[in-house]
Amino acid sequence: CVGPTFDVNALVNPVPTVLATPSAETVCEDGVTSIVLSNPNGVAGTSYTWTVSSSANVTGASAASGAVIAQTLGLTDNTQGSVTYTITPSSGAGCDGTITTVVVTVNPQPDATATDETICSGDVTNISISTPNGVSGTTYTWVVQSNAGGVTGAVPGSGNVIAQHLFNPLSTPQTVTYRITPRSGAGCV
């Protein structure tokens, strides 16, 4: 004997995909990531979660959810670090798609130091600039931030020594202020 036949349905929900833009990113220390997550196959109700794995010297990376990974990443020392974000797309029906990863490289910011100098009018400055935190490849540029007394010879420049012939046209001491910007080999300021 055979019982009555009947039909049974198997509902097959689509699995979402995830696209991370950019697929890799480089930020300077204390910079904010800007990774936008999207769903190329258009599965309705898709959401995204991520986990993190980072170098021991990286701060600010944390697991979370959303459509944009925007986290301020810092460093505890003066060496490059990295964070790997592992992103999982999930549909509204509870189906998880294939994960994708994004690696963010975090480059250190250089610092700079120089010592004030007093010279006589007509002499050449010898202001040496250095990087105490030792970030490799650091270069320096400077601008004349203030020169109220009209000292001549003070101009913007670059290098590790400000060597300029300065002439004071007045009968009282005048100050030229240089603003120095250090830039790492990776472009961080």
Side-chain angles (χ1 to χ4, degrees), residues 116-127 151-154 163-176 178:
D116 290 345
E117 183 175 58
T118 300
I119 63 170
C120 295
S121 182
D123 286 349
V124 177
T125 60
N126 185 26
I127 302 170
V151 172
T152 60
Q164 299 182 340
H165 276 97
L166 301 182
F167 297 91
N168 179 358
L170 304 176
S171 60
T172 58
Q174 299 299 311
T175 299
V176 173
Y178 295 96

Side-chain angles (χ1 to χ4, degrees), residues 54-155:
S54 65
S55 305
N57 65 331
V58 175
T59 62
S62 61
S65 62
V68 177
I69 303 174
Q71 298 184 337
T72 302
L73 302 179
L75 294 169
T76 59
D77 59 23
N78 300 314
T79 59
Q80 185 182 75
S82 66
V83 177
T84 300
Y85 291 97
T86 301
I87 305 151
T88 303
S90 299
S91 71
C95 298
D96 288 346
T98 302
I99 64 169
T100 191
T101 59
V102 175
V103 175
V104 177
T105 302
V106 185
N107 288 314
Q109 292 178 328
D111 61 3
T113 188
T115 303
D116 290 345
E117 183 175 58
T118 300
I119 63 170
C120 295
S121 182
D123 286 349
V124 177
T125 60
N126 185 26
I127 302 170
S128 184
I129 309 166
S130 63
T131 303
N133 69 357
V135 172
S136 65
T138 299
T139 59
Y140 314 97
T141 58
W142 62 82
V143 296
V144 178
Q145 185 65 22
S146 67
N147 182 4
V151 172
T152 60
V155 295

